[in-house]
Amino acid sequence: MQIRIAKPADFWSGILFAGVGIAAYVLAMDYEPGTARRMGPGFLPIALSVILLVLGAIIVLKSLALMTGPEEAPRTAAVSDAADRRFEIWSTVRAATAVTVSLVFFGAALPSLGLVLSITGLVIISSFADPRLTWVTTLIIAAFMSALSVAVFRYGIGLSLQVWP
Amino acid sequence: MELLANLAHGFGVALSPSTLLYCLIGVTFGTFIGVLPGIGPLATIGLLLPITFHLPPIEGIVMLAGIYYGAMYGGSTTAILLNLPGTAASLMAALDGHPMAKQGRAGPALVMTTLVSFFSACVAILLIAAFAPPLARFALNFGSPEYFSLMVMGLIAASVLVSGSIIKGLAMMVFGLLMGMVGLDLTTGAPRYTFGVASLYEGLSFVIVIIGLFGLAEVINNLALGERRQSFTGRVPWRDLIPTRKDLKDARFSTLRGTLLGAALGILPGAGPAISTFAAYALEKRVAKDPSRFGKGAMEGLTAPEAANNAAAQTSFIPTLSLGIPGDATMAIMLGAMLIHGLVPGPQIVTENPDFFWGLIASFWIGNLFLLILNLPLVGIWVKMLSMPYSWMFPAILSFIGIGMYSLHLDSFDVYLTVGFGLLGFLLLKLRCEAAPLLLGLVLAPLLEDNLRRSLLLSRGDPMIFIERPISLFFVMLGAGFLLLVAVPSVLRWFRSRRGPAPDGAGK
């Protein structure tokens, strides 16, 4: 008899929930739990993290299947070959990285470099997420978005944002 | 005739030029953003929310309500034309709407959607005006135990009714409640889960969580899918826009049934529009003479869920406004926005702030009228917009997210936090965990804790208080009922699948 992960998505979400539950519990041990009559700041966090841990554990257990015979059910509905799979992972990593870096740059740059340069940087960095974007298009979008944001947010709504460095 | 007098008062408030203007802007923006593929109503509202912060309270909320309708309507447009439903609610619209579009009948499908939405919203608005004030009066008797039980019931309902795994829905809800613990404890002032970061002392901003989990996660997902994302290439000629006489005849009763069903289900906290569309579709299929037409472009299959969706969207304002308890994630955002503007929804709002309450209801109607006026001529433009490549849109979306999040407190940390939630949201999307229960948990957590604390103080620590009080007992039983209703069949199925080698019993 063998245990195998029948539903990977469920398995990993269960692990995630259980992990968050444990982390939240460990952190909540520093907070005063109090009594039921006079709840302290730790009362609900402790209760909730235990519940989350239990739910996560159940999800993990449910995602496992006890197999006696040979594997029968396919892992997921989509049958994708290795090249497809590699492309998917690559484009996912690329998208997540480009989006993350572009916004982090924007957040860091905005207070000192101002709206125009920050938006231009954000658009240029994020363009790496999509190989179909050419340099010319990217620069046009950057110029358009800079002008639009200055018009709408600085002058339209009147946010106190710096426009230039 | 108190009702009519109140409504008249509301129209007096809502018909001021500035309110009308913001309502119009809201509806336009809402449709404009909502129609973009991959951005559902939740993300749309989240993206446009920061704009309303700088307005006076009534104008801000009215604009937000306009955005909400626009977004819902825009969402169905995308669902019908591209078969890309942004929410569970517009999933049903795509089921029969998209086949119609493929048959070259996108025009009638979109026009009928607009007409049906307007009709059902009108009916539902009358219901709100009639039922919200009595409900608010009734809710004045509620004490902490009643509120606590009601919230627990709503949370359970919202988590078990999500599509997919129930237990994952529950876990997401608890995750959300835990996220709601971040910040200073209300009574003792002790910091919790703040990691010494000053920005977190006020708690996690729900706008940041929404934009991250819904908006940003969707952007990453769309980019990750890359070339495989489909875009609309068909054309909708002008003369084919008008529905035929047969279309109208087919839609008559289905619209009525959908409206009534939606209005009734929308009032339940936690049920919300999504469920009502499933129910309406199922009902139509059951009463139809020829159920096999469904899924192939049946007019009833499009209009009934669409009517239910809009009616439920309207009536879900009833619990939000009169109890202060949001019915679903979208209402949770509306509630949060009201709180930001210093308007505290709850039993008192009807009497203490009649300008706001009746003005909002009147503006619902005006918003729907704008939607009708705006969308009938603009159907062609929405269709055009959908053929715009996503490559041009996502840098703009990211820019708006960046500026919007920074402008919340003029703090870069908020932008970083949004990115964090965006990555978490993408992970949850990949793990097929629905984020809506999490959001509801996050919004309700402070209220839930406060009412639990008061209840237990009242009963000297005895949890029996929740079942000793009749109204509270009713909510507890309703919540338990929801849990049993959905848990029992799946537990049985699970046991059956463990015994014996039944390969199909393991679910999807």
Side-chain angles (χ1 to χ4, degrees), chain B residues 237-252:
Chain B
W238 281 104
R239 59 191 159 73
D240 290 349
L241 285 180
I242 302 128
T244 60
R245 198 172 285 269
K246 187 177 172 299
D247 289 339
L248 292 172
K249 213 174 117 237
D250 283 348
R252 257 182 333 190

Side-chain angles (χ1 to χ4, degrees), chain B residues 139-335:
Chain B
L140 280 174
N141 307 322
F142 283 16
S144 297
E146 281 79 18
Y147 270 113
F148 178 78
S149 307
L150 178 61
M151 276 184 271
V152 171
M153 191 271 283
L155 283 170
I156 291 176
S159 334
V160 298
L161 294 177
V162 297
S163 56
S165 161
I166 296 147
I167 189 157
K168 275 158 88 180
L170 286 171
M172 286 294 277
M173 182 265 281
V174 178
F175 193 4
L177 285 173
L178 261 176
M179 275 163 57
M181 297 288 108
V182 173
L184 297 181
D185 178 35
L186 288 175
T187 38
T188 57
R192 293 187 292 194
Y193 302 122
T194 55
F195 307 101
V197 180
S199 310
L200 289 178
Y201 279 41
E202 288 173 38
L204 282 174
S205 157
F206 73 103
V207 190
I208 291 176
V209 180
I210 294 162
I211 302 271
L213 290 187
F214 294 91
L216 206 49
E218 284 288 348
V219 173
I220 299 175
N221 193 41
N222 281 335
L223 287 171
L225 289 178
E227 277 90 88
R228 273 181 270 170
R229 211 186 63 82
Q230 43 185 325
S231 73
F232 185 69
T233 45
R235 294 183 49 192
V236 182
W238 281 104
R239 59 191 159 73
D240 290 349
L241 285 180
I242 302 128
T244 60
R245 198 172 285 269
K246 187 177 172 299
D247 289 339
L248 292 172
K249 213 174 117 237
D250 283 348
R252 257 182 333 190
F253 294 111
S254 60
T255 304
L256 208 59
R257 280 189 293 260
T259 303
L260 293 177
L261 195 62
L265 287 174
I267 301 174
L268 292 176
I275 297 311
S276 72
T277 57
F278 292 119
Y281 194 83
L283 179 71
E284 283 314 307
K285 227 173 154 173
R286 187 147 303 168
V287 298
K289 283 200 195 86
D290 177 17
S292 68
R293 288 187 304 122
F294 283 79
K296 295 174 195 155
M299 187 48 92
E300 298 94 316
L302 173 69
T303 48
E306 218 24 51
N309 186 11
N310 276 277
Q314 300 286 347
T315 53
S316 60
F317 272 102
I318 294 178
T320 310
L321 287 173
S322 55
L323 301 176
I325 294 177
D328 64 358
T330 324
M331 283 301 119
I333 304 180
M334 299 293 285
L335 185 78

Side-chain angles (χ1 to χ4, degrees), chain A residues 10 24 31 36-37 41 91 107 130, chain B residues 168 192-193 224 391 412 456-457:
Chain A
D10 281 10
Y31 314 141
R37 185 194 280 203
S91 67
D130 193 332
Chain B
K168 275 158 88 180
R192 293 187 292 194
Y193 302 122
S391 314
S412 300
L456 290 179
L457 202 64

Side-chain angles (χ1 to χ4, degrees), chain A residues 18 41 80 134:
Chain A
S80 51
T134 60

Side-chain angles (χ1 to χ4, degrees), chain A:
Chain A
M1 208 139 84
Q2 224 180 3
I3 297 173
R4 96 194 144 76
I5 302 169
K7 291 181 248 176
D10 281 10
F11 176 79
W12 289 112
S13 45
I15 296 284
L16 175 73
F17 292 133
V20 171
I22 291 169
Y25 183 84
V26 171
L27 287 167
M29 288 197 303
D30 286 346
Y31 314 141
E32 188 57 51
T35 58
R37 185 194 280 203
R38 205 167 284 279
M39 277 168 53
F43 191 89
L44 209 50
I46 290 172
L48 289 172
S49 45
V50 171
I51 296 173
L52 192 59
L53 176 59
V54 171
L55 287 174
I58 297 174
I59 295 170
V60 169
L61 286 177
K62 271 184 69 177
S63 74
L64 302 173
L66 285 177
M67 295 306 298
T68 41
E71 283 203 14
E72 34 200 337
R75 267 168 29 113
T76 39
V79 185
S80 51
D81 50 56
D84 240 24
R85 183 104 192 116
R86 256 205 312 280
F87 171 77
E88 197 185 317
I89 292 172
W90 159 235
S91 67
T92 303
V93 169
R94 188 178 56 193
T97 315
V99 167
T100 306
V101 176
S102 68
L103 275 172
V104 168
F105 165 80
F106 178 83
L110 188 57
S112 51
L113 292 183
L115 206 47
V116 172
L117 292 181
S118 314
I119 292 275
T120 308
L122 179 147
V123 172
I124 291 174
I125 299 171
S126 69
S127 72
F128 287 103
D130 193 332
R132 285 166 300 178
L133 266 179
T134 60
W135 272 101
V136 179
T137 327
T138 305
L139 290 177
I140 293 173
I141 296 173
F144 176 75
M145 281 316 296
S146 304
L148 185 72
S149 345
V150 171
V152 171
F153 292 98
R154 180 68 188 85
Y155 295 105
I157 301 178
L159 289 177
S160 55
L161 295 173
Q162 234 177 299
V163 176
W164 296 103

